[in-house]
Amino acid sequence: MSSARRLLTVRRNLSILGLKFLHKLTSIQKKPIFKIYGKTFKIHPNVFHPRWSITSLMLVKNLDVKLGDVVLDMGCGCGIQAIFAAERAFRVVAVDVNPFAVCLAWENVRLNGLEGKVEVRLGNLFQPIKQNEKFNLIIFNPPFFPGKPKNVVENAWIDENGEIMQKFFSKVGMYLFPGGRVQITYSSIASLSIDELEKLFEENKFEVKVKIKKKLLTETLYLYTLKTLNFKNFNINTNLPHTGSVG
């Protein structure tokens, strides 16, 4: 194994250990309700706490939701992206493969008075989406570390060989309106390299419109806003809080 490969493995292991530690620390806390940017959320021991997910907070701060959009929140977890997206969206559908996350997201939707605007569904990727459903914006804060998940919580950060990402991009275009956008997070130490990820965008006819970076000790995190290449009249929202690197 080369020194670069060994260093990558060490960085991955440190990041995963950190996530496990933070989740364990959160799960023993006695206060099950917390606030993020003024919204109220419950937590559950079988759902990862969004406060410790830097990619999740990057998304919240930079959501490209236009007034009246129909939004899909893929891998919704506790529902944080769906709830913030609902501020401007006409309707939001939130999906997760973890049944504990689906129940928790429904609770958080009710806590924030959004029952008529946000719908939460159980299923893997696009499985619970109807064939004729289309969205203006699809949000995905995906799992991206290599390995095999040992429980439902680890499903939130482990994607062996980048299979989840490849399956997502093989189908996402079918569920977008013309001019639809995708916002997706990733890491420099993920299963796929950043070059492999961006090649996946290109192969599936997506163009990067906004690319935000945040450098951490063990990795660099990325937030991409993508548009479909076959739609020429797309205009990105230039009023995003961040349009360059996040420091």
Side-chain angles (χ1 to χ4, degrees):
M1 183 185 291
S2 68
S3 57
R5 190 71 185 173
R6 283 196 296 270
L7 181 58
L8 178 61
T9 300
V10 168
R11 286 177 172 174
R12 285 171 173 168
N13 290 340
L14 285 173
S15 292
I16 292 171
L17 283 172
L19 290 172
K20 289 180 177 180
F21 171 77
L22 289 170
H23 178 71
K24 188 172 181 62
L25 184 66
T26 303
S27 64
I28 62 175
Q29 290 181 350
K30 296 181 179 179
K31 292 183 178 180
I33 296 180
F34 67 100
K35 285 188 176 288
I36 291 182
Y37 306 132
K39 305 289 186 186
T40 303
F41 297 91
K42 284 186 177 181
I43 58 172
H44 188 281
N46 287 321
V47 182
F48 191 61
H49 198 309
R51 181 170 285 166
W52 307 122
S53 172
I54 298 173
T55 50
S56 183
L57 297 179
M58 284 174 71
L59 256 176
V60 166
K61 290 179 181 178
N62 295 282
L63 282 173
D64 183 36
V65 182
K66 302 182 188 304
L67 193 63
D69 273 354
V70 180
V71 177
L72 172 60
D73 179 12
M74 182 67 70
C76 65
C78 75
I80 182 171
Q81 307 303 331
I83 286 166
F84 278 96
E87 290 181 337
R88 293 177 60 81
F90 172 71
R91 184 171 71 93
V92 181
V93 176
V95 172
D96 206 290
V97 72
N98 179 353
F100 297 102
V102 170
C103 292
L104 181 63
W106 267 123
E107 284 193 62
N108 287 327
V109 166
R110 287 190 286 267
L111 267 179
N112 289 277
L114 295 168
E115 298 96 319
K117 208 169 188 182
V118 180
E119 179 187 355
V120 188
R121 302 178 190 171
L122 174 65
N124 187 21
L125 291 175
F126 295 99
Q127 178 188 8
I129 305 303
K130 299 169 189 174
Q131 190 173 2
N132 62 347
E133 276 188 290
K134 303 284 184 183
F135 301 90
N136 304 102
L137 175 65
I138 297 178
I139 305 161
F140 195 17
N141 182 29
F144 45 64
F145 289 120
K148 292 185 181 294
K150 297 176 182 177
N151 52 57
V152 292
V153 175
E154 291 187 10
N155 280 331
W157 61 70
I158 292 180
D159 174 19
E160 188 174 13
N161 301 320
E163 291 177 3
I164 292 173
M165 191 62 64
Q166 292 176 49
K167 288 177 182 177
F168 174 82
F169 275 100
S170 72
K171 293 188 175 182
V172 64
M174 298 166 51
Y175 297 96
L176 285 169
F177 283 119
R181 294 102 61 209
V182 174
Q183 285 193 289
I184 195 160
T185 59
Y186 217 61
S187 167
S188 61
I189 58 173
S191 295
L192 300 178
S193 69
I194 294 301
D195 286 343
E196 289 172 327
L197 178 69
E198 294 183 356
K199 185 179 179 182
L200 193 61
F201 299 161
E202 185 179 348
E203 288 173 347
N204 289 279
K205 298 181 171 57
F206 284 94
E207 178 184 7
V208 177
K209 294 301 294 181
V210 177
K211 181 178 177 179
I212 297 171
K213 297 181 185 180
K214 185 174 181 66
K215 291 186 178 182
L216 305 177
L217 184 62
T218 59
E219 61 187 311
T220 300
L221 300 176
Y222 295 82
L223 169 57
Y224 293 92
T225 300
L226 311 175
K227 74 153 187 173
T228 51
L229 282 171
N230 59 353
F231 190 81
K232 296 179 180 179
N233 297 321
F234 175 88
N235 292 309
I236 192 72
N237 178 4
T238 57
N239 295 318
L240 289 173
H242 302 286
T243 56
S245 297
V246 177

